[in-house]
Amino acid sequence: MTQETQNPTSAPQLDRADSRVRHDAGLAGAMRGFVDQIKSGDLGMLPVVLGLLLISVVFTTLNPVFLAPNNLVNLLFDAAAVGLIALGVICVLLLGEIDLSIGSMSGLGSAMTGVLWVNSGVPLPIAIIAVMLTGACVGLLFGFLRNKFEMPSFVATLAGLLALLGLQLYILGPTGSINMPFTSPLVRFGQILIMPAWLSYIAAIVPGVLLLLGAMRTNQQRSAANLSSGGLSVAVVKAAVLTAALLFAVFYLEQGRGVPWMFGVFVMFVVILNYALVRTKWGRSMFAVGGNAEAARRSGINVQSIRLSAFVVCSTFAALGGVFAAARLASASQQAGTGDVNLNAIAAAVIGGTSLFGGRGSAWSALLGVLVIMAISNGLTLLNLSSSLRYMITGAVLAIAVIVDSLARRSRASHGRA
């Protein structure tokens, strides 16, 4: 009689022991991998998360109102318009390009909304579609200039900034501003409308569930291909932490007015763009062209069409951001899109983790980055500091983000992970 026959429970015991070893190795391996990733300069979104925590601590110490639920709700309302513009900027930054006309494009979008909808009586949905189509046409022009004449995007979009600003002033006419009805759906969307609590809680649970289902699907696919598949312990921990954080955030905001629909729509666009960048051929081509355009061309990617699409997406989101800004302010004026709009949108993308050198970034960069920018702006406003100090501090934060990006890129290159 063999030993296995004498001790029939030994095999299950060994299986359970082996499972526990894999479970521990999974968590420990994930921690070691995370530490190695940080050491090699692949910081991901760690700096922006730490920055948000630091900003919260500093401003709450100086003024406890900063973390009041209703103040955070107002912050989310303000973040949506700039966040949409930053979302488009990410596409051109991924290619190592730049668009300096986004502020003027958003201002023109705001002005067109007022002129078409309020002055001309065009139905609001048609007016918004016209604004977005105008943004797409402007993006096509920038992409054409870049592809056909090799005009640097810095120069092309700088010229576009001036031309779009002039067009904005022209269509607004001598009055310079157009007020929008406070009882209209657009203004209510930008100032009042809040998501139902039940929907907010469901939205907070969905990301964790999708993360876990994605990990399970990956394990099944690897097992079907006879490849080693790790345990789900790491995915379970990530999903649990993410779900707990989002549920607490919703619970805290519900102590005030709740989660704004305006911010919810912005997050929806973030999810859509993230899926496009991560799960589609177009998204993979974006990263390839940003990493090395010549290598991408030699591998069969149409670099010019990818570049063209990036400028189209950027300008379209900028125009839609102008509509959101008009909804928030209940007006379209000559000041729309001017001031610190360009700075805030580009800063949000870079602070969120998108590299100015191309090839690295995420749609989530716009979400996290705009929260940092709006938190700084909101906190400084609560402290009654002048706009001059706000500009200087925001500029300093942007400079620090670029320095961190440059140092991280150098570290990745030295570790062979550039």
Side-chain angles (χ1 to χ4, degrees):
M1 184 177 292
T2 63
Q3 185 175 356
E4 290 183 0
T5 306
Q6 293 175 350
N7 189 7
T9 61
S10 60
Q13 289 174 350
L14 288 174
D15 289 340
R16 286 194 295 270
D18 184 57
S19 176
R20 285 194 297 270
V21 169
R22 287 199 303 268
H23 176 80
D24 296 337
L27 291 175
M31 290 300 299
R32 286 194 300 270
F34 177 73
V35 172
D36 292 341
Q37 178 179 322
I38 298 299
K39 288 181 179 179
S40 67
D42 193 359
L43 302 178
M45 296 181 180
L46 181 62
V48 70
V49 173
L50 295 178
L52 273 175
L53 293 176
L54 179 61
I55 289 169
S56 300
V57 170
V58 171
F59 283 127
T60 303
T61 303
L62 297 175
N63 190 335
V65 176
F66 177 76
L67 280 184
N70 279 329
N71 184 60
L72 294 182
V73 172
N74 289 331
L75 189 153
L76 295 183
F77 267 114
D78 295 335
V82 178
L84 270 180
I85 302 173
L87 197 58
V89 172
I90 287 172
C91 292
V92 293
L93 291 182
L94 283 175
L95 302 184
E97 306 286 347
I98 192 67
D99 189 342
L100 299 179
S101 71
I102 48 176
S104 295
M105 187 65 249
S106 69
L108 178 60
S110 174
M112 287 183 63
T113 304
V115 170
L116 292 175
W117 176 45
V118 178
N119 289 1
S120 302
V122 176
L124 181 59
I126 296 179
I128 294 175
I129 291 174
V131 168
M132 296 178 66
L133 288 176
T134 302
C137 290
V138 171
L140 280 172
L141 176 60
F142 291 148
F144 173 77
L145 294 175
R146 179 68 178 88
N147 289 332
K148 184 67 175 179
F149 303 105
E150 292 294 330
M151 181 183 291
S153 57
F154 178 90
V155 177
T157 57
L158 182 60
L161 180 154
L162 298 174
L164 295 174
L165 177 58
L167 185 56
Q168 174 188 351
L169 300 179
Y170 176 78
I171 67 173
L172 284 173
T175 58
S177 65
I178 299 173
N179 294 324
M180 299 182 180
F182 280 96
T183 57
S184 64
L186 183 64
V187 175
R188 286 173 55 82
F189 172 75
Q191 297 186 351
I192 299 175
L193 293 183
I194 299 296
M195 296 172 61
W198 62 267
L199 182 59
S200 299
Y201 281 114
I202 291 177
I205 295 173
V206 168
V209 174
L210 292 179
L211 177 63
L212 191 56
L213 291 177
M216 293 173 62
R217 181 185 177 190
T218 300
N219 273 8
Q220 291 176 353
Q221 290 175 340
R222 292 183 65 85
S223 297
N226 293 324
L227 298 174
S228 61
S229 58
L232 293 176
S233 55
V234 176
V236 170
V237 171
K238 287 182 178 180
V241 171
L242 177 61
T243 302
L246 293 178
L247 285 175
F248 175 77
V250 170
F251 170 78
Y252 191 73
L253 291 172
E254 289 295 333
Q255 306 309 302
R257 294 167 59 191
V259 181
W261 266 111
M262 193 176 189
F263 186 77
V265 172
F266 162 56
V267 173
M268 180 191 71
F269 279 114
V270 172
V271 172
I272 292 173
L273 183 62
N274 179 73
Y275 179 86
L277 290 175
V278 175
R279 298 291 184 181
T280 67
K281 180 181 178 181
W282 174 79
R284 292 189 292 270
S285 299
M286 289 279 289
F287 285 103
V289 173
N292 190 319
E294 180 59 23
R297 186 188 66 80
R298 290 176 181 271
S299 65
I301 295 175
N302 190 331
V303 175
Q304 291 193 347
S305 65
I306 292 297
R307 190 179 290 142
L308 195 68
S309 67
F311 281 105
V312 169
V313 172
C314 181
S315 292
T316 303
F317 271 121
L320 186 58
V323 177
F324 274 46
R328 182 63 179 148
L329 299 174
S331 68
S333 67
Q334 295 178 347
Q335 284 71 42
T338 59
D340 58 355
V341 174
N342 261 2
L343 169 65
N344 285 344
I346 296 175
V350 176
I351 291 172
T354 300
S355 176
L356 284 170
F357 303 100
R360 299 185 69 86
S362 166
W364 299 108
S365 301
L367 176 59
L368 293 175
V370 79
L371 290 179
V372 171
I373 291 296
M374 289 296 106
I376 294 173
S377 177
N378 182 277
L380 294 177
T381 300
L382 290 176
L383 296 178
N384 292 322
L385 296 181
S386 65
S387 58
S388 59
L389 288 175
R390 187 156 58 246
Y391 286 146
M392 287 188 284
I393 293 175
T394 306
V397 172
L398 175 58
I400 292 172
V402 174
I403 291 172
V404 170
D405 178 36
S406 180
L407 294 176
R409 182 170 178 266
R410 186 182 305 173
S411 178
R412 290 194 301 269
S414 65
H415 286 81
R417 302 181 63 172

